[in-house]
Amino acid sequence: MRSVVSAIQDTIPFSMFNQGLAGKIFSNVKATGAKVVMKNNRPEVVIVPPEEYVREKEELENLRLLLLAAERMEHYNADTLVSQEEVDRRFNFTEEELSDFEEVEIE
């Protein structure tokens, strides 16, 4: 849990932007992390370094994928699986047709 001091240090009044201090604010965000911009004593926006934003977005996407996989595993039934060979047979895929496609990497 964040302390009150930490919360105060991580907030910036909106008026600082009007005072031409945006460059200083951005440097501080890059050095120390996210800041909450306050306007009329209410949180207005959060400023984060791009690397942190990308990392958090990737973590969120990975979490969504993990939840989707867990949900699918709840309904997993080995008796309903279809082999690649069976799919190829059903749709008349030939080895020659499939060799024209690039390799797909599954993470």
Side-chain angles (χ1 to χ4, degrees):
M1 180 179 223
R2 297 175 51 156
S3 68
V4 173
V5 173
S6 175
I8 292 170
Q9 290 173 338
D10 292 341
T11 60
I12 299 169
F14 188 81
S15 62
M16 289 181 73
F17 285 95
N18 296 334
Q19 298 167 0
L21 298 173
K24 182 177 180 180
I25 293 167
F26 296 153
S27 294
N28 186 269
V29 167
K30 285 180 183 176
T32 63
K35 301 290 180 212
V36 177
V37 179
M38 303 294 286
K39 184 176 181 183
N40 298 324
N41 294 323
R42 299 183 69 93
E44 185 73 14
V45 297
V46 177
I47 303 174
V48 296
E51 301 81 17
E52 183 178 336
Y53 176 79
V54 169
R55 180 183 53 76
E56 290 178 4
K57 290 293 281 186
E58 286 176 350
E59 285 180 6
L60 181 58
E61 179 63 17
N62 288 339
L63 179 58
R64 286 181 179 140
L65 292 172
L66 180 61
L67 290 172
L68 178 60
E71 180 182 314
R72 288 179 177 174
M73 289 305 294
E74 287 179 10
H75 305 288
Y76 171 76
N77 180 351
D79 296 333
T80 63
L81 296 181
V82 178
S83 70
Q84 182 65 52
E85 291 78 18
E86 178 62 19
V87 170
D88 293 346
R89 188 190 63 72
R90 286 182 189 178
F91 294 99
N92 297 317
F93 293 144
T94 65
E95 190 66 37
E96 295 79 33
E97 290 174 320
L98 297 176
S99 66
D100 291 339
F101 292 98
E102 292 182 28
E103 270 303 307
V104 176
E105 182 178 325
I106 299 175
E107 295 181 8

